[in-house]
Amino acid sequence: MNEFKSIVAIVAYGLEAFGVLIIVLGSGAATVRVIPQLRSRTLLEIYHEYRQVVGRSILLGLEFLIAGDVIRTVIVSHTLSNVAVLALIVVMRAFLSFTLALEIEGKLPWSGSAEKTSS
């Protein structure tokens, strides 16, 4: 059983490392993507696009971080205090994800997508 817990702990840390990697690479890719546009677009347009790309990479990275936390807490160290800490972390990250999604999309996640009509 200890071998299983060790393997699951490694998988959980791997998921968390992958989440961090997504955030770092997404931010770097966003930076590389906007640099050539500095001369052809306004700074405000570039800022909004940059913010959206970085925000999306943070959202995706947060999903992996939460998954790693859940797996590690449920399988490896499932004491009441660890579960309480996990619950607090998940609530904080979910709130962060919600606010980031609201900023990126400009609408509440459950409000549906507004379809554009062509005239």
Side-chain angles (χ1 to χ4, degrees):
M1 188 65 171
N2 283 338
E3 292 176 18
F4 175 73
K5 285 185 177 183
S6 298
I7 292 170
V8 171
I10 291 169
V11 169
Y13 285 120
L15 282 172
E16 290 177 341
F18 188 62
V20 170
L21 185 66
I22 287 172
I23 294 170
V24 170
L25 291 179
S27 299
T31 303
V32 169
R33 182 176 168 181
V34 299
I35 289 175
Q37 301 174 5
L38 288 175
R39 294 183 184 202
S40 62
R41 297 176 64 197
T42 67
L43 288 178
L44 187 60
E45 291 172 335
I46 291 171
Y47 168 75
H48 286 296
E49 181 182 342
Y50 183 72
R51 201 167 164 204
Q52 283 186 339
V53 175
V54 170
R56 286 188 183 115
S57 64
I58 291 172
L59 283 173
L60 183 58
L62 279 174
E63 297 298 328
F64 282 96
L65 289 168
I66 290 172
D69 283 341
V70 169
I71 290 170
R72 190 177 58 255
T73 301
V74 170
I75 301 296
V76 178
S77 56
H78 51 275
T79 65
L80 188 57
S81 63
N82 285 347
V83 171
V85 169
L86 172 67
L88 183 61
I89 290 171
V90 168
V91 167
M92 289 173 20
R93 287 184 178 166
F95 178 74
L96 181 58
S97 295
F98 171 78
T99 56
L100 280 170
L102 183 60
E103 280 194 41
I104 290 169
E105 301 297 327
K107 61 182 175 63
L108 295 172
W110 55 80
S111 66
S113 61
E115 295 184 22
K116 295 181 181 178
T117 58
S118 57
S119 357

